[in-house]
Amino acid sequence: PVEKVMTKNWANPGQNTLEGYKRSGGYTALKTALEWAPAKVIDEVKKSNLRGRGGAGFPTGLKWSFMPKDSPKPKYLAINADESEPGTAKDRFILENDPHMLLEGIAIACWALGAHTCYIYARGEFKYPSAVLDKAIAEAYAAGIFGKKLLGKDFELNVYQVRGAGAYICGEETALLESLEGKKGWPRLKPPFPAVVGLFGCPTVVNNVETIAALPPIINQGAEWFAKLGTDKSGGTRLVTLSGCVNRPGTYEVGM
């Protein structure tokens, strides 16, 4: 049987609350990451062979390294939670069952990227998942995890959920950025790529919910462990949705 990474704690009572998440070791990875230099965090993500879980499968650490280090502009992280591909239902279950896993991943990623603002762009139809996520974000602020000091460190981090209006195209990263800016969700021509000219014309990394939620286990248990769970070029496990003419439809965690 495959070792569970993403779904490991979903059955725990209260896992979608801060208290429940901390009971299963929540926010220990962030503590560790904040003791490391940002470059070391990026290196660990590269070594883990984590690839984008939004479909394109682009190496995450490599994507992060495209963000210019010397830009005077603010940097942004945008989370793609616009899960509108027919038949897919994995990111919504992360938001419903383990939202703090995503939030801890966001904090780790923002520290690594030097980004002080993160927008989670959620699909318009996600009424319940978005409500659970909003509650989790509020808990993280109240506990001093987000805000002026990231877990007590001299690093400000603000995280916002923005809900789309149910437009399928906004799942494409540049259309998502257009929509975040309040414009029509219409894809941009590339280049320039979002890493250099993204949200509000500033350096931006766009990652999928499942990609970022994988960061806490990678930091806690090591890049080599995560890499070994996958194939030569793609580390970890995957959440897949089975629907249609199958005996047991649902979302499952499988080995790469």
Side-chain angles (χ1 to χ4, degrees):
V2 68
E3 186 175 347
K4 297 281 190 278
V5 180
M6 308 304 294
T7 60
K8 186 175 157 192
N9 300 311
W10 284 9
N12 296 352
Q15 181 64 25
N16 63 3
T17 66
L18 179 59
E19 196 188 330
Y21 185 65
K22 281 189 161 170
R23 274 201 299 271
S24 57
Y27 290 103
T28 53
L30 178 57
K31 276 188 191 133
T32 303
L34 290 175
E35 286 167 11
W36 294 356
K40 186 180 173 183
V41 179
I42 294 175
D43 204 43
E44 194 75 2
V45 173
K46 280 182 179 168
K47 280 193 289 201
S48 75
N49 288 339
L50 173 67
R51 283 175 175 263
R53 303 301 201 229
F58 196 82
T60 306
L62 185 61
K63 188 179 200 175
W64 290 6
S65 65
F66 293 155
M67 195 182 250
K69 290 178 181 56
D70 48 2
S71 171
K73 294 177 175 177
K75 297 170 182 170
Y76 294 102
L77 174 65
I79 302 296
N80 189 342
D82 190 87
E83 188 173 42
S84 45
E85 188 72 52
T88 56
K90 61 181 186 71
D91 295 337
R92 62 169 294 179
F93 290 125
I94 295 171
L95 303 182
E96 288 175 13
N97 293 301
D98 217 344
H100 282 282
M101 192 177 189
L102 169 65
L103 297 183
E104 184 175 16
I106 284 170
I108 292 166
C110 286
W111 169 245
L113 294 165
H116 296 280
T117 308
C118 170
Y119 292 99
I120 304 164
Y121 187 93
R123 181 182 175 186
E125 292 86 346
F126 277 1
K127 192 157 192 267
Y128 174 64
S130 285
V132 176
L133 180 62
D134 271 340
K135 188 163 171 280
I137 292 170
E139 285 179 323
Y141 271 103
I145 297 163
F146 297 160
K148 291 278 179 219
K149 289 194 184 276
L150 174 60
L151 208 65
K153 190 140 186 123
D154 197 17
F155 185 93
E156 186 171 354
L157 177 59
N158 290 300
V159 178
Y160 308 96
Q161 176 176 207
V162 176
R163 291 180 65 190
Y168 173 77
I169 192 62
C170 291
E172 191 279 328
E173 64 173 11
T174 63
L176 183 153
L177 295 177
E178 288 284 295
S179 179
L180 269 177
E181 291 179 5
K183 304 203 283 272
K184 180 179 177 181
W186 201 247
R188 298 174 182 174
L189 292 172
K190 297 189 264 195
F193 288 92
V196 182
V197 182
L199 192 60
F200 310 121
C202 299
T204 306
V205 163
V206 185
N207 278 135
N208 177 261
V209 169
E210 190 187 350
T211 314
I212 294 296
L215 295 174
I218 289 170
I219 300 295
N220 274 333
Q221 301 192 59
E224 286 81 5
W225 162 82
F226 191 81
K228 278 200 184 99
L229 293 174
T231 63
D232 286 352
K233 292 187 175 153
S234 190
T237 58
R238 275 307 319 252
L239 294 179
V240 297
T241 310
L242 296 183
S243 61
C245 296
V246 291
N247 287 331
R248 289 190 295 159
T251 296
Y252 297 93
E253 186 167 4
V254 298
M256 272 297 181

